Amino acid sequence: MVSAPAPTARPGAQDSLPPPSSLWNDLLGEDERARLAHGRFARRSGFGKRPAVVVIDAQNYMLGPIGDEPYEYVSSCGEVGRAGARQIARLLDAAREAGAPVFYTRFELARDGSDMGAYRRKRDLVESEGWCLEDSFGAAIADVVAPKDGDIVMVKKKPSGFVGTPLLGLLIDRGVDTVIVVGGSTSNCVRATAVDAVSLNFRVVVPADCVFDRVGISHRVALFDLDRQYGDVMWCDEVIAALREGPTA
């Protein structure tokens, strides 16, 4: 039977949550579901002993009101992104209380586009203070998820938070075995970071309501792929509960 689409608002009490698969089940045919079940995809990898949160590009350029003055946020995810950021803020509070380290990435480009690399073949340079230009308002991390003392912020130039940054070494130094990936966008930088994390043998958790995208179907398909092959897609409330319960592995 086809599951109902996921609600747009945050689910209520944890015991009343629909499964995250409600986000993508209606995109699959019966034969596809049978093939996945027969192939034993999407088993749970679970939490390890030492989780960390990696906040991907929760910046003003991703969250600003589309078309508003004084800046034009041409890469914004709109209200979907702002709702996700509010959920991220809740999760970060729980992570810090549990002693889990928090890392942020900021996607930031030179104002002349000289460090865009291959990205410039797919996207024009946008000369706006609401985009991810160096030292612009758009490149700053949004206030709702602002870093706190002890958090680490790093600049990246590529989709994955691991490429060209010290993230891997910092995770190893802190004994991290589980990476909780939040932020945006789901189908781009979140997905790239999650795939690299599992490729490096970390457990991966993606809270579905703590990630966001500009395109709804891209968000849903990316979460399906991540849950099928790379990590556990959960709800924010479930991840918070796991952080509070402590290690299970």
Side-chain angles (χ1 to χ4, degrees):
M1 184 172 67
V2 175
S3 299
T8 54
R10 181 175 71 87
Q14 188 178 334
D15 58 3
S16 66
L17 293 170
S21 58
S22 63
L23 287 163
W24 58 77
N25 269 347
D26 61 314
L27 300 175
L28 301 172
E30 292 294 339
D31 60 329
E32 292 169 323
R33 290 183 208 152
R35 189 178 307 122
L36 293 170
H38 182 71
R40 300 183 182 181
F41 287 91
R43 65 177 293 178
R44 301 296 86 187
S45 55
F47 280 75
K49 297 180 179 179
R50 180 66 166 153
V53 180
V54 178
V55 185
I56 301 294
D57 303 355
Q59 297 162 255
N60 292 321
Y61 88 96
M62 293 279 285
L63 304 176
I66 299 171
D68 270 19
E69 295 296 340
Y71 309 130
E72 185 179 7
Y73 300 92
V74 297
S75 292
S76 178
C77 297
E79 180 52 36
V80 169
R82 293 189 287 276
R86 292 190 290 271
Q87 290 292 83
I88 292 170
R90 295 179 58 240
L91 188 145
L92 291 177
D93 286 344
R96 295 180 184 113
E97 289 173 7
V102 176
F103 303 92
Y104 289 77
T105 67
R106 288 194 303 114
F107 187 65
E108 183 179 273
L109 298 171
R111 286 181 173 266
D112 63 359
S114 58
D115 57 359
M116 287 180 71
Y119 183 45
R120 196 161 188 178
R121 298 176 192 146
K122 296 296 293 182
R123 185 78 187 271
D124 290 336
L125 179 69
V126 179
E127 297 182 22
S128 168
E129 294 303 301
W131 205 49
C132 49
L133 300 178
E134 189 175 25
D135 297 325
S136 68
F137 178 77
I141 294 172
D143 287 345
V144 66
V145 291
K148 296 189 177 179
D149 291 345
D151 298 342
I152 294 178
V153 181
M154 60 199 80
V155 171
K156 69 180 180 69
K157 306 288 184 178
K158 301 298 180 183
S160 172
F162 288 95
V163 175
T165 77
L167 179 59
L168 175 59
L170 291 168
L171 294 173
I172 292 171
D173 180 62
R174 286 155 176 78
V176 169
D177 60 5
T178 305
V179 178
I180 303 167
V181 186
V182 302
S185 67
T186 316
S187 61
N188 294 337
C189 298
V190 166
R191 177 174 176 146
T193 302
V195 170
D196 277 359
V198 75
S199 298
L200 293 163
N201 288 326
F202 292 99
R203 299 171 189 249
V204 174
V205 174
V206 180
D209 42 348
C210 292
V211 295
F212 43 84
D213 206 293
R214 303 169 190 91
V215 181
I217 193 168
S218 296
H219 172 75
R220 296 168 69 193
V221 170
L223 288 175
F224 161 67
D225 282 338
L226 289 169
D227 191 72
R228 173 179 58 87
Q229 191 76 19
Y230 302 107
D232 296 352
V233 175
M234 304 171 65
W235 295 117
C236 180
D237 285 353
E238 295 174 309
V239 177
I240 288 173
L243 287 167
R244 288 173 176 166
E245 288 167 5
T248 58

